[in-house]
Amino acid sequence: MANGNSIRDEIKEQQQKMMQENGIRGRISYFFFYYKVHLIIALILIAVVITTVFNILTQKDVVLQVAFVNGFPNQSSEEFMGNFEKSISLDTKHQETFMDDSFYIASENPSVYDDQNNQKFLIMAGANQIDVCVADNTYFESIANAGYFTDLSTILTAEQLARYKDNLYYFDSPNDDYDGEVIAGIRVSDAAKIVSTKSFPNTDAYFGIIINSSNIENAVAFLEYLETP
């Protein structure tokens, strides 16, 4: 045991001698040689903490998420939603909106790709990651039948409903809580923004609000935005 201690003492003495002979340079070399792993771990932990804090401090509240299904505006989603944000005077330092126009879902002879996109849409809608859906008539009808849309008669005013009376999409809900048909959507094929961006050039387009949306006010504002030139 004493032998072991004496060897360690000798090594320590040699290291100290080397540090003294090489000055600051020796001390730095010694430090990096023996504490390199500890230093790397410490730097990684510091980077993780800084990144986490930065993300928390700069994270914005998402106040509207829109999905276009089988509709592809000739305008970037950033520009499309950027103009919407301006129209409602959104505080873009602390809030943001998103639009996903990547959904292509064929109704006839769907491929694996179509099935994956459909599953993606349904999962996002169920997880409250979609507030508004604008889709072609075939897909809109399929998810309306599945009960994904809220009854617009419970959201829009009588004046708004009267304005859209010729374009309302009715759905006969099997839900016992509803007496007869509900208004699941609004035809927006002729809405100024839909037309100007050629989003649905060969089919009718319908607007609906996902039933579990927590951004109803902004969803209604988006409907009005679609009508503006």
Side-chain angles (χ1 to χ4, degrees), residues 60-98:
K60 298 180 181 181
D61 293 329
V62 179
V63 297
L64 189 70
Q65 299 174 99
V66 177
F68 271 41
V69 181
N70 297 333
F72 309 99
N74 61 9
Q75 188 178 59
S76 71
S77 57
E78 291 79 11
E79 186 178 356
F80 198 102
M81 297 307 290
N83 290 331
F84 168 69
E85 291 173 356
K86 289 176 185 175
S87 74
I88 60 171
S89 301
L90 192 71
D91 176 11
T92 53
K93 286 186 178 179
H94 303 101
Q95 298 173 317
E96 60 186 343
T97 64
F98 290 108

Side-chain angles (χ1 to χ4, degrees), residues 5-73:
N5 285 336
S6 126
I7 291 171
R8 280 197 296 271
D9 290 342
E10 188 178 340
I11 292 172
K12 189 174 178 183
E13 187 179 338
Q14 288 176 354
Q15 289 170 346
Q16 288 175 346
K17 185 178 178 184
M18 180 188 71
M19 287 170 61
Q20 288 170 358
E21 287 175 354
N22 294 327
I24 295 175
R25 196 174 190 181
R27 290 186 176 86
I28 293 173
S29 297
Y30 174 82
F31 177 82
F32 276 106
F33 182 79
Y34 284 97
Y35 297 101
K36 180 169 61 179
V37 174
H38 302 78
L39 182 62
I40 291 172
I41 293 173
L43 289 174
I44 291 172
L45 289 175
I46 291 170
V48 169
V49 170
I50 291 173
T51 302
T52 303
V53 171
F54 177 80
N55 288 338
I56 291 172
L57 293 177
T58 58
Q59 187 174 19
K60 298 180 181 181
D61 293 329
V62 179
V63 297
L64 189 70
Q65 299 174 99
V66 177
F68 271 41
V69 181
N70 297 333
F72 309 99

Side-chain angles (χ1 to χ4, degrees), residues 155-165 168 186 220 223-224:
I155 295 173
L156 301 180
T157 65
E159 182 183 347
Q160 288 171 320
L161 289 171
R163 192 194 318 160
Y164 296 111
K165 66 179 181 178
L168 299 177
I186 295 173
V220 174
L223 172 63
E224 295 174 350

